[in-house]
Every structure is written in C-alpha cells, then in structure tokens.
Amino acid sequence: MDRKAAQTLVENMLAGHRLSLARLISKVENRDSSLNLIMEQLYPHTGGAWILGITGPPGSGKSTLVDQMAAHFRKAGKKVAIVAVDPSSPFSGGAILGDRIRMQQHWNDPGVFIRSLGTRGKHGGLSHATKEVVLVLDSARFDVILVETAGVGQTELDILRLAQTVLVVLVPESGDSIQVMKAGLMEIADVFAVNKSDRPESDKLVRELISMVGLMDRPAGGWAVPVHKTEAIRDIGVSELLKALESHHHFLAESGAREWKASEFLKNEVMDILSERLGLRLQEAFETKAGQKLLKQLLGRRMDPYKAAAVFEKIKK
Ligand SMILES: Nc1nc2c(ncn2[C@@H]2O[C@H](COP(=O)(O)OP(=O)(O)O)[C@@H](O)[C@H]2O)c(=O)[nH]1
Ligand SMILES: [Mg+2]
C-alpha cells in the first residue's frame, strides 16, 4: 500500500467507516509494510481515548466484567472499544469464541467495537501490535478502550503499560495477596476488583488486599488504590467500581501523572520500534554470506558473541 492508499484508508476510518477500521487493524496486526505510513497518518488523531487495562488470572471474570462495564459506558453515551488479548492461545480458539458469545449483547451496537487478538503477529510481535491496535482505536475516537489481558507473564504486563488506568481482577481461588505480589500485579494495579463476591472467602481477600495496599510506599498526595467487590454476572458492584476507575482517570489528569505516564510509554514505544527493526535487520544479516561466515567463526570459537555483536553494530543498511 502506498502513501496515497494509506491516506485514503485512514481518512475513511476517521470518517467513521467501520470496514476501513477493521482493515487498518488487520494491517497493523500483520505488521504490514505500510505500517509506518498508517501510523504517520493517524497518530495526530490519537490521545483522546481513556485506555483502561483489565488484567488478572484466567477465569477471574475479566471478560464478564468488561462486558458489564461496556454496557454501563454505553448507557452514559460513550463509544467503547474492547480489545481482548489472549497470548495463551496461539489460534483464535475456545476462550476467544467464549468471549464473543458472551459479548453478544453488544453485537448490533455501532457504539461498541470488539476485537480479539488471539494470534501472535507474523514476527511474534504480539505486544507491540496490541499497542498499535489501541492507537488505531484511539484515533477512531472511541471514548474508552478496554484492553483485557490474562495477567500471567511479562509481555502481558508490558501491554498494560500503555493503559492509563489498570484494573486487576482477582477471585478468592486465584490465591492470596502474596501471590498477587509475586505476579507483579501490586505495582501495576490502580484499582482492585475482587470478583465472584457471591463466593465465600471473598471478604477475606478484600481485607488482605486492603491491608497490603496500606503497606505500599506512596508519595504524599499519591493515588490510594481502592479495593472493590463485584459479582460480574449479576452486575453487582460494577457501577461503584466504575466510579473508582473514573476517579483514577481524573486523578491522572489533575496530578500531572497522565503526562508522565504518556511520556514513559512513548519512550518505550520508540525503543520497541527500534528493537523490532534492529531484530529483523539482524535476522536478515545472519542470512547473508558474511553473516554465515561469522556464524561459523562463532561456532568454531574463533569469535566471541560480544565481538560478533560489535561487528553487527557497524552494519548499515
Ligand atoms: N459465580 C460467579 N461466576 C462468575 C462471575 N463473573 C464471572 N463468572 C464466571 O466465571 C467464568 C469465567 O469468566 P470469564 O469472564 O470468562 O473470565 P476471564 O477468563 O477472566 O475473562 C465464567 O463461567 C463466568 O460466567 C461472578 O461474579 N460470580
Ligand atoms: Mg477473558
């Protein structure tokens, strides 16, 4: 796709054309060669959306909660995009299908856009593609973008760095607060939801989390992480949870943390782009005659990896 075609596609998307939006997202996901042209066109239109990350162990009720939250946002007249990332399933399989069925209440609503990213990108750049898919949706003027990821690994936590507000969803079965700490969820949570509050022991987890949050180092005037009980399937506690999330959103704007977060994110973004490019270029460099020779030298212990890296550093395209 050339510059002109990218421009037209982005213009159509900005005008509200659904199919163009879907096509752009696919191109971003597949790391299309016109990616940089697409980003150039749409980037000036980003920055308006509230990006809300939802994470937690599989089965804690994230999708159910996201579904209810979307319904609340719709009632308030907001346009909502939902991005469900499931890195555990390399193919769009069971979990994603389940999500689709659950989210059916929104299917005919033009104010809701749902996308599942179940596969890794061509070059394995799932987390990077996710960030850019979110940027596309941001430019498409969705008021809220809900990004659901299963909080099981580092890449998933990475994705959440792009979120302005992070909701961590837990259930009593997912373990105690010690495990929450170990999984790195304590540092990223802006709000906790203890879901499936219809189950016994949810009060115990709530108490644990509250005392844990109280022990956290927090600068004066910082955000106090609230803990909310929800029962997603019956929409119990969801509107209170949303109020807490919204006040975090306001807190970000008022405290200046929003800008700080955005600049951290952008720094990482540029570094990610560079390392993605560098990675591809090095991959190609290994395929060349010179690269093969170097590899042989490495294998024969006539060259060490540090020296080889220095040689590659000098390769110009
Ligand atoms: N008892 C109970 N079950 C729930 C609640 N919320 C979700 N579930 C169920 O828990 C299961 C997993 O939910 P899902 O939203 O797919 O979890 P996810 O993997 O975190 O996205 C589903 O069978 C839901 O119906 C709740 O508040 N109470
Ligand atoms: Mg889910």
Side-chain angles (χ1 to χ4, degrees):
M1 199 169 59
D2 60 10
R3 181 175 292 267
K4 189 87 192 71
Q7 200 173 351
T8 310
L9 192 56
V10 171
E11 270 166 15
N12 289 340
M13 180 273 290
L14 291 174
H17 191 231
R18 274 281 161 137
L19 202 59
S20 303
L21 175 61
R23 279 190 60 202
L24 277 170
I25 291 178
S26 298
K27 283 189 184 298
V28 167
E29 230 187 311
N30 299 322
R31 319 311 284 156
D32 193 273
S33 56
S34 58
L35 188 60
N36 57 339
L37 296 174
I38 291 170
M39 290 326 259
E40 182 187 316
Q41 296 292 329
L42 60 80
Y43 192 73
H45 302 278
T46 61
W50 177 25
I51 303 160
L52 185 46
I54 298 99
T55 195
S60 56
K62 297 179 296 294
S63 299
T64 315
L65 204 50
V66 161
D67 186 32
Q68 299 288 15
M69 283 161 63
H72 282 264
F73 282 126
R74 288 305 291 142
K75 269 188 218 133
K78 297 201 164 103
K79 273 178 70 184
V80 186
I82 299 168
V83 181
V85 186
D86 193 347
S88 60
S89 91
F91 309 102
S92 313
I96 306 270
L97 194 65
D99 287 348
R100 288 223 172 132
I101 291 164
R102 246 196 315 282
M103 305 239 176
Q104 236 161 20
Q105 63 162 315
H106 303 298
W107 263 51
N108 292 323
D109 182 353
V112 179
F113 185 91
I114 304 171
R115 184 72 169 216
S116 293
L117 302 178
T119 51
R120 293 195 177 268
K122 237 195 243 161
H123 305 294
L126 172 82
S127 72
H128 203 191
T130 308
K131 291 185 208 168
E132 282 159 352
V133 166
V134 169
L135 281 176
V136 176
L137 291 164
D138 187 352
S139 74
R141 294 194 188 83
F142 284 95
D143 300 296
V144 190
I145 303 170
L146 302 166
V147 186
E148 178 194 334
T149 66
V152 283
Q154 199 51 51
T155 25
E156 293 78 75
L157 296 187
D158 260 4
I159 290 166
L160 292 168
R161 294 194 200 284
L162 94 152
Q164 293 153 350
T165 302
V166 175
L167 168 66
V168 172
V169 183
L170 299 168
V171 281
E173 304 92 284
S174 62
D176 56 17
S177 44
I178 305 290
Q179 267 155 307
V180 174
M181 277 227 333
K182 279 194 188 146
L185 295 172
M186 212 71 203
E187 292 104 79
I188 63 161
D190 296 308
V191 177
F192 278 110
V194 173
N195 191 41
K196 305 197 185 178
S197 60
D198 49 314
R199 302 239 169 119
E201 288 179 11
S202 62
D203 284 328
K204 185 168 165 271
L205 182 58
V206 169
R207 278 197 304 273
E208 274 185 16
L209 286 172
I210 288 174
S211 63
M212 199 83 141
V213 162
L215 292 173
M216 267 178 20
D217 248 355
R218 189 158 54 87
W223 173 252
V225 177
V227 182
H228 278 266
K229 253 169 55 164
T230 57
E231 190 185 335
I233 26 175
R234 290 202 294 156
D235 195 27
I236 293 171
V238 179
S239 65
E240 290 80 2
L241 175 67
L242 279 176
K243 278 197 197 104
L245 292 165
E246 268 158 6
S247 55
H248 180 260
H249 190 45
H250 291 174
F251 166 82
L252 286 180
E254 283 158 18
S255 64
R258 189 180 166 158
E259 204 158 289
W260 178 81
K261 273 196 169 195
S263 64
E264 284 302 297
F265 167 67
L266 288 170
K267 255 197 273 181
N268 282 324
E269 183 68 358
V270 175
M271 288 197 275
D272 278 358
I273 291 168
L274 281 176
S275 62
E276 186 180 35
R277 281 197 191 156
L278 206 60
L280 282 177
R281 222 204 277 174
L282 286 177
Q283 207 64 44
E284 283 164 14
F286 270 121
E287 307 297 323
T288 64
K289 242 191 178 143
Q292 291 295 315
K293 202 175 137 199
L294 200 70
L295 209 52
K296 277 215 182 80
Q297 288 178 315
L298 278 163
L299 278 168
R301 298 293 189 273
R302 294 189 298 281
M303 159 102 59
D304 67 274
Y306 280 89
K307 215 170 257 162
V311 172
F312 273 125
E313 240 170 10
K314 293 196 190 92
I315 295 177
K316 295 225 170 64
K317 213 179 174 185

